[in-house]
Amino acid sequence: MNREHRGPNEKLGALLGVAGISNAGLARRVNDLGAQRGLTLRYDKTSVARWVTKGMVPQGAAPHLIAAAIAGKLGRPVPLHEIGLADADPAPEVGLAFPRDVSEAVKSATDLWRLDLGGRRGPGGAGIWQTLAGSFAVSAYVTPASRWLITPADATVARDAPAPGMAHVGHTDVTKLREAAEDARRWDSKYGGGDWRSGMVPECLRVEAAPLLLGSYSDDVGRALFGATAELTRLAGWMAFDTGQQEAAQRYYIQALRLARAAADVPLGGYVLASMSLQATYRNFADEGVDLAQAALERNRGLATARTMSFFHLVEARAHAKAGEAAACGASLAAAEGLLERAREGDADPSWLGFYSYDRLAADAAECYRDLKIPRQVQRFTEQALARPTEEFVRSHGLRLVVSAVAELESGNLDACCAAGVKAVEVANRISSVRTTEYVRDLLHRLEPYNDEPRVLELRERARPLLAAPA
């Protein structure tokens, strides 16, 4: 259904021209994006003509899908006001800003947290992230990364005279948030980002963290508070990333980086940038992935521990591998390994780095060589990564099994490939991770030339319930 708008929508018409999208092309893109969200839309070129020439405003999710369709072509975010649809009951376009002012940063973060659990629903009961999904644009990371590099810490974050009803914040309040973050990390690794417990992180941000940020606190307590909320916000982004909600993940990451800047926690800011890099690389923006990883490294030289710098180099290697840069990847892996060997038990490593060990380095090295199409090296590093499977990192174990299966297939070992694939499917069925499911789907795609083989048929049958489950 459409409603009247005053005059032609010149903004939409002009941007369609810039993007090189025809009326029929936009209608098709909007219908396709809607279908990905379970919506049945039947727009055509006449519908688009009405939007442009008569100023008709489509209702429901359509304005957001139009913005997402154009954003996908332009490679950057497209807010509703840029296409003349800002009054179309928009979802607040929050989370993409990186304010210079601390008070504005608090507002930007808390607005995002409220959006996630604010009860706004799209057509058919779809959550707001399902409406926005598909509008991820790696260019949205440019300003946050640049501002963080220029000024990685605010001068002061002390806050006086809170709003009525807001409490004075102490270190005990911060400790509770850090404990919540630690619990969330364990649940995420063991059960996946889509487990029902993962919803506790956005709720914690909205119900527990937001009132604290709006309270009063000294500079010392404030720094710790911003650090704890940055950790939780990054975790929310990581869980969204694991469940395929790339737009939500991007907004969480940007706010996590801004909060880390308020905390004056440069290593944590680097960790957020590393998370952004992994997302960019996963989305096939390898060059931007390299830039983000190198931003993490650059600001942390002489500040972060050897183990922390090792992880940042490992993330850099992942991006180089995706870009097909074998020499640069090898240099980054060597740097990561050398720094990890220098790490000592008594180093002041941050608590959020507890997952990182040689097993993780070997697992990511295997993925690097998978992208570089060197199966012998993939097998070598995967064997090391799988040598000590633990119940603590179930999702990681499943991903490693899929990488191992791909390496066996590329080496001509179909039996070993299917055996590893079966184990991977067993793990994937125990967790809620869209990313793990996509790894399995990719493996099955690679196995299509062998579809007549009984072992492959058995693997496909085992994977069928997993692939049929709703995301």
Side-chain angles (χ1 to χ4, degrees):
M1 182 182 295
N2 298 289
R3 68 174 185 267
E4 290 291 344
H5 192 73
R6 291 186 177 179
N9 189 339
E10 296 177 354
K11 289 184 177 181
L12 177 58
L15 202 57
L16 287 178
V18 171
I21 304 176
S22 67
N23 287 1
L26 178 63
R28 183 173 60 254
R29 289 167 183 263
V30 169
N31 291 341
D32 289 345
L33 287 172
Q36 293 172 21
R37 292 150 186 76
L39 305 175
T40 301
L41 304 176
R42 295 186 176 87
Y43 293 117
D44 56 23
K45 62 181 181 181
T46 303
S47 307
V48 178
R50 292 195 187 102
W51 303 339
V52 174
T53 62
K54 295 185 178 181
M56 301 290 283
V57 179
Q59 294 185 336
H64 310 290
L65 299 178
I66 293 168
I70 299 173
K73 188 69 183 293
L74 293 177
R76 64 170 177 81
V78 174
L80 291 180
H81 68 76
E82 191 175 354
I83 56 174
L85 295 174
D87 59 343
D89 188 27
E93 293 169 4
V94 299
L96 295 175
F98 193 89
R100 290 187 172 90
D101 179 74
V102 176
S103 296
E104 286 300 313
V106 169
K107 183 179 186 305
S108 183
T110 53
D111 282 351
L112 174 66
W113 303 339
R114 292 190 186 101
L115 171 65
D116 194 36
L117 289 181
R120 293 185 60 101
R121 297 290 171 188
I128 197 64
W129 295 126
Q130 281 66 45
T131 300
L132 292 174
S135 53
F136 168 86
V138 74
S139 59
Y141 285 148
V142 174
T143 296
S146 298
R147 289 186 180 174
W148 184 83
L149 280 169
I150 294 167
T151 310
D154 290 290
T156 181
V157 296
R159 183 181 172 95
D160 296 319
M166 295 300 178
H168 181 74
V169 184
H171 281 293
T172 301
D173 300 300
V174 177
T175 299
K176 291 178 181 178
L177 294 182
R178 293 200 183 280
E179 290 174 350
E182 187 60 37
D183 288 342
R185 275 192 288 270
R186 286 196 295 269
W187 284 119
D188 171 64
S189 294
K190 193 169 184 179
Y191 299 105
D195 184 76
W196 66 270
R197 300 168 189 82
S198 301
M200 296 165 62
V201 176
E203 183 178 4
C204 180
L205 287 168
R206 182 178 70 90
V207 176
E208 303 293 340
L212 295 178
L213 284 180
L214 296 171
S216 66
Y217 35 82
S218 66
D219 186 69
D220 179 54
V221 171
R223 300 287 187 192
L225 175 61
F226 278 106
T229 53
E231 284 189 50
L232 278 165
T233 305
R234 192 215 68 87
L235 268 168
W238 180 256
M239 292 170 176
F241 167 63
D242 191 50
T243 54
Q245 299 176 77
Q246 303 300 332
E247 165 70 10
Q250 181 170 50
R251 296 184 183 212
Y252 278 125
Y253 285 157
I254 290 171
Q255 296 314 302
L257 185 64
R258 184 59 186 89
L259 294 167
R261 175 170 133 168
D265 192 333
V266 178
L268 178 57
Y271 187 37
V272 177
L273 285 166
S275 300
M276 292 175 171
S277 174
L278 287 170
Q279 183 190 32
T281 300
Y282 182 79
R283 299 278 293 178
N284 294 314
F285 295 101
D287 288 343
E288 290 83 354
V290 171
D291 291 340
L292 291 162
Q294 291 180 346
L297 286 162
E298 185 60 34
R299 264 297 177 182
N300 276 281
R301 297 188 195 283
L303 291 174
T305 64
R307 188 182 302 275
T308 304
M309 293 296 281
S310 170
F311 178 68
F312 295 163
H313 274 293
L314 183 61
V315 172
E316 180 188 32
R318 290 289 301 271
H320 281 310
K322 181 68 78 170
E325 299 168 350
C329 175
S332 296
L333 285 175
E337 187 169 15
L339 284 162
L340 193 55
E341 289 174 351
R342 281 173 43 195
R344 296 293 177 265
E345 190 69 29
D347 290 348
D349 292 322
S351 59
W352 43 258
L353 197 63
F355 68 91
Y356 186 53
S357 64
Y358 193 83
D359 293 346
R360 173 61 187 265
L361 187 148
D364 280 45
E367 295 211 39
C368 287
Y369 287 114
R370 176 204 60 192
D371 292 340
L372 292 171
K373 304 188 187 308
I374 308 176
R376 181 172 52 82
Q377 288 286 70
V378 178
Q379 289 174 309
R380 185 187 130 208
F381 280 104
T382 301
E383 286 174 4
Q384 296 173 22
L386 291 172
R388 291 183 300 169
T390 67
E391 280 298 307
E392 187 177 359
F393 301 108
V394 177
R395 179 182 54 215
S396 292
H397 185 61
L399 295 173
R400 295 169 191 182
L401 284 166
V402 178
V403 174
S404 173
V406 171
E408 295 290 359
L409 177 63
E410 292 182 348
S411 299
N413 303 322
L414 188 61
D415 284 343
C417 167
C418 291
V422 167
K423 292 179 181 177
V425 169
E426 289 174 354
V427 172
N429 277 319
R430 292 163 49 196
I431 61 177
S432 181
S433 167
V434 171
R435 189 159 47 106
T436 305
T437 301
E438 288 178 351
Y439 270 54
V440 172
R441 197 185 304 276
D442 175 69
L443 171 62
L444 295 177
H445 176 70
R446 294 169 186 262
L447 282 167
E448 285 179 357
Y450 309 94
N451 275 347
D452 292 336
E453 292 285 341
R455 295 154 294 181
V456 176
L457 290 172
E458 179 188 357
L459 175 58
R460 287 190 180 281
E461 184 61 25
R462 287 175 178 265
R464 189 164 56 84
L466 173 69
L467 301 181

